[in-house]
């Protein structure tokens, strides 16, 4: 059964769903099933809202042993480097965030390049966004340094078979090229030209809620990056008041402002989304949580 068909029907989101929250699929705090023996059991999912092309793309991804092995190897290297999760769990979270951003932007009148440049449909925008979200980090299976470039040639080898039976030519090559643009655009100075690439870039940065970026701090790696990451409690995405999308970030410590500005704001700036997203970050609670056990310079003295 496809991942798309296992989703609840539209309108039946369960008692815990709130429209301003990220989808419940993003709640997994650890890479569940992260082992060589469970590679072939991995399956990502996200609401497809009747988009048949998106459903077929999910079916292709979830039955592709090589892509699922790349996700596994990406996490192996993340573990070796003491990094936060880069397994299939990260891919699914980025996928769900990206599709939520896509639909809010479309509702706000912001169309993707698949519509404005190629005369295709908003459903094709979703396929490009999903492709970029699910393949953006596969290059981590080779090396962390320059992983975005490695992701390009791995994804380029996979996309013809993943899109086979979904698009004829030349549409298939157009979709593949736009997915590849989204992949290279997610790097720090990627300069994405399209709305789709901007969505993938921002969605990747928004995988920052509690339980997602705290691994280095819990492993004893204290620094501004790990401390600020641990200060992020919740991320809420909703329709904006003045712009198409509103992102609200709950912090338990003001150190989280570094994470918001250095990671998220950097990813939003210089993209086609810059004028369509508003961000609000606030420290919640009466007192700030203590995150730093001590500081000494130089280290070890």
């Amino acid at each position: 059964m496809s991942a798309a068909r296992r989703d609840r029907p539209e309108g039946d989101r369960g008692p815990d769903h709130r429209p301003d929250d990220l989808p419940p699929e993003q709640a997994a705090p650890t890479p569940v099933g992260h082992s060589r023996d469970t590679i072939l059991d991995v399956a990502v999912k996200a609401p497809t809202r009747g988009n048949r092309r998106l459903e077929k793309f999910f079916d292709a991804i979830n039955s592709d042993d090589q892509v699922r092995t790349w996700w596994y190897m990406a996490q192996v290297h993340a573990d070796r480097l003491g990094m936060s999760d880069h397994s299939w769990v990260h891919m699914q979270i980025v996928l769900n965030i990206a599709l939520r951003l896509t639909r809010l932007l479309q509702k706000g009148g912001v169309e993707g390049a698949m519509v404005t440049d190629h005369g295709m449909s908003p459903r094709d925008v979703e396929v490009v966004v999903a492709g970029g979200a699910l393949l953006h980090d596969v290059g981590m299976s080779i090396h962390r340094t320059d992983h975005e470039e490695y992701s390009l040639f791995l994804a380029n080898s996979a996309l013809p078979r993943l899109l086979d039976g979904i698009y004829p030519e030349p549409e298939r090559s157009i979709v593949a090229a736009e997915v590849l643009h989204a992949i290279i655009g997610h790097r720090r100075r990627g300069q994405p030209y399209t709305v789709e690439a901007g969505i993938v870039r921002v969605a990747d940065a928004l995988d920052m809620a509690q339980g997602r970026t705290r691994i280095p701090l819990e492993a004893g790696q204290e620094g501004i990056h790990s401390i600020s990451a641990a200060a992020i409690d919740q991320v809420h995405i909703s329709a904006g008041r003045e712009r198409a999308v509103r992102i609200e970030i709950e912090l338990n410590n003001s150190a989280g402002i570094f994470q918001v500005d250095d990671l998220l704001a950097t990813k939003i700036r210089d993209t086609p989304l810059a004028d369509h997203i508003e961000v609000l970050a606030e420290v919640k609670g009466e007192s700030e949580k203590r995150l730093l056990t001590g500081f000494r310079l130089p280290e070890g003295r």
Side-chain angles (χ1 to χ4, degrees):
M1 181 180 294
S2 74
R5 295 186 180 93
R6 286 197 297 269
D7 289 334
R8 290 190 180 97
E10 187 66 24
D12 180 16
R13 299 176 184 267
D16 295 328
H17 178 81
R18 291 180 294 169
D20 62 338
D21 282 345
L22 301 180
E25 290 91 340
Q26 298 176 39
T30 56
V32 179
H34 167 58
S35 75
R36 183 174 62 85
D37 294 334
T38 57
I39 290 174
L40 303 187
D41 295 328
V42 166
V44 294
K45 61 180 180 178
T48 59
R49 298 189 176 182
N51 185 339
R52 300 303 181 191
R53 287 178 172 171
L54 188 60
E55 290 179 9
K56 290 180 179 179
F57 185 70
F58 287 165
D59 285 342
I61 283 276
N62 286 328
S63 61
D64 195 289
D65 297 346
Q66 187 172 51
V67 170
R68 291 184 290 185
T69 303
W70 289 338
W71 292 339
Y72 162 73
M73 284 302 304
Q75 184 57 34
V76 168
H77 281 131
D79 290 342
R80 289 168 176 168
L81 297 171
M83 294 177 61
S84 57
D85 172 39
H86 279 71
S87 72
W88 66 272
V89 177
H90 172 64
M91 307 306 161
Q92 176 166 279
I93 291 174
V94 174
L95 169 67
N96 277 274
I97 295 174
L99 287 175
R100 180 157 180 77
L101 290 173
T102 300
R103 290 159 182 165
L104 287 171
L105 287 164
Q106 289 173 348
K107 187 179 294 185
V110 182
E111 295 182 322
M114 297 304 294
V115 175
T116 61
D117 295 352
H118 306 302
M120 297 174 71
S121 78
R123 293 180 179 270
D124 301 307
V125 172
E126 293 186 353
V127 174
V128 169
V129 166
L134 291 173
L135 298 171
H136 76 282
D137 271 348
V138 293
M140 273 278 291
S141 65
I142 299 172
H143 203 285
R144 172 62 181 176
T145 303
D146 297 328
H147 73 279
E148 300 93 347
E149 285 86 349
Y150 300 142
S151 294
L152 282 182
F153 72 73
L154 292 181
N156 188 55
S157 71
L159 282 167
R161 67 176 182 267
L162 295 175
L163 296 173
D164 185 38
I166 304 176
Y167 292 97
E169 292 291 2
E171 287 82 3
R172 185 188 310 160
S173 292
I174 290 172
V175 171
E178 294 291 11
V179 170
L180 294 173
H181 176 69
I183 289 172
I184 198 62
H186 93 276
R187 62 182 175 178
R188 191 172 183 86
R189 294 178 179 85
Q191 297 182 322
Y193 303 150
T194 66
V195 167
E196 291 91 335
I199 289 169
V200 173
R201 178 181 171 94
V202 173
D204 182 39
L206 283 172
D207 183 12
M208 58 166 57
Q210 181 175 354
R212 299 298 310 162
T213 53
R214 295 181 178 224
I215 294 174
L217 183 61
E218 291 174 352
Q221 300 177 24
E222 291 183 346
I224 186 59
H225 292 280
S226 59
I227 291 172
S228 62
I232 309 295
D233 273 348
Q234 297 291 333
V235 177
H236 304 279
I237 302 175
S238 62
R241 298 172 185 174
E242 299 180 359
R243 300 188 178 189
V245 178
R246 180 180 178 88
I247 299 171
E248 297 178 80
I249 302 171
E250 295 182 14
L251 311 176
N252 60 56
N253 188 284
S254 54
I257 295 299
F258 176 84
Q259 184 84 353
V260 174
D261 184 60
D262 184 67
L263 179 62
L264 178 58
T266 299
K267 289 294 186 85
I268 294 175
R269 296 185 187 112
D270 299 323
T271 76
L273 305 188
D275 294 331
H276 304 296
I277 295 179
E278 56 190 33
V279 179
L280 175 65
E282 293 184 322
V283 179
K284 298 293 184 178
E286 297 180 359
S287 61
E288 294 193 3
K289 182 177 180 180
R290 182 184 180 189
L291 296 174
L292 184 64
T293 59
F295 183 83
R296 178 175 295 182
L297 187 70
E299 184 177 352
R301 291 194 173 184

